[in-house]
Amino acid sequence: MPAKKIAKKTAAKKIAIKPMAKKRSVKQTTAKKTSVKPPHVSNEAIAQAAYLNYRRRIHLGLPGDHDTDWLEAERSLRAGS
């Protein structure tokens, strides 16, 4: 008989469990990553700028070669300066 009384007491002590409210998902907006493509520069424009770099280098008596003239011209044209 005591087992029935204990069962009744525990049944009375049960707490009604409310279902948890669903959490709203918060979307975080992130900045869209875009790859920056260098502007298209024609080989003719690079060649002309490289020639001018060569002329400036020779006039000032600076060391260098045609490869560095070309790369410097290409870099400066793509940078837009």
Side-chain angles (χ1 to χ4, degrees):
M1 187 77 109
K4 289 183 181 179
K5 287 183 181 179
I6 293 173
K8 286 182 181 179
K9 286 183 180 179
T10 57
K13 287 186 178 180
K14 287 186 180 177
I15 300 172
I17 299 174
K18 295 180 183 178
M20 294 182 67
K22 292 183 181 179
K23 292 183 180 180
R24 293 183 185 174
S25 62
V26 177
K27 292 184 181 179
Q28 293 180 350
T29 57
T30 56
K32 186 177 180 181
K33 295 180 181 180
T34 57
S35 60
V36 178
K37 293 182 180 179
H40 177 70
V41 180
S42 68
N43 283 341
E44 291 82 18
I46 297 172
Q48 185 177 9
Y51 175 73
L52 293 175
N53 287 345
Y54 159 76
R55 295 291 302 202
R56 181 179 50 86
R57 182 173 54 83
I58 294 299
H59 179 72
L60 296 175
L62 299 172
D65 60 357
H66 62 87
D67 290 332
T68 56
D69 294 334
W70 182 276
L71 292 174
E72 182 182 341
E74 187 176 17
R75 188 178 317 119
S76 66
L77 288 174
R78 290 189 193 272
S81 59

